[in-house]
């Protein structure tokens, strides 16, 4: 099972499991198809979109653990 960390790139997280996309869309990150968004770290994306990074890491890791 993969563990997500805040320093991971969005693209790498999506490559691990495309089912994580709704978590990004939920926080307002509707630019997932943009090449530059794939190169942002989870922490950078959360800062830009005003999301709680620790909470998002927790949600994604819970999702992955329960698959």
């Amino acid at each position: 099972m993969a563990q997500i960390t805040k320093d991971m790139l969005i693209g790498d997280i999506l490559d691990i499991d495309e089912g994580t996309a709704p978590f990004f869309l939920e926080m307002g990150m509707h630019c997932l198809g943009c090449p530059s968004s794939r190169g942002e770290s989870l922490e950078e994306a959360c800062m830009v979109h005003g999301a709680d990074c620790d909470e998002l890491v927790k949600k994604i890791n819970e999702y992955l653990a329960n698959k």
Side-chain angles (χ1 to χ4, degrees):
M1 169 184 70
Q3 277 285 307
I4 302 305
T5 62
K6 43 174 127 173
D7 63 328
M8 290 180 74
L9 299 180
I10 300 295
D12 292 341
I13 296 169
L14 291 169
D15 289 344
I16 289 169
D17 190 319
E18 290 179 354
T20 60
F23 293 100
F24 299 109
L25 297 173
E26 187 179 283
M27 73 175 207
M29 188 175 185
H30 299 277
C31 54
L32 289 179
C34 173
S36 63
S37 71
R38 290 186 57 88
E40 278 186 319
S41 72
L42 184 58
E43 188 169 35
E44 290 168 333
C46 286
M47 282 191 299
V48 169
H49 293 280
D52 181 333
C53 191
D54 292 325
E55 183 63 27
L56 185 56
V57 167
K58 179 181 171 190
K59 283 182 181 181
I60 293 173
N61 281 327
E62 285 175 357
Y63 162 78
L64 293 173
N66 291 316
K67 281 196 77 173

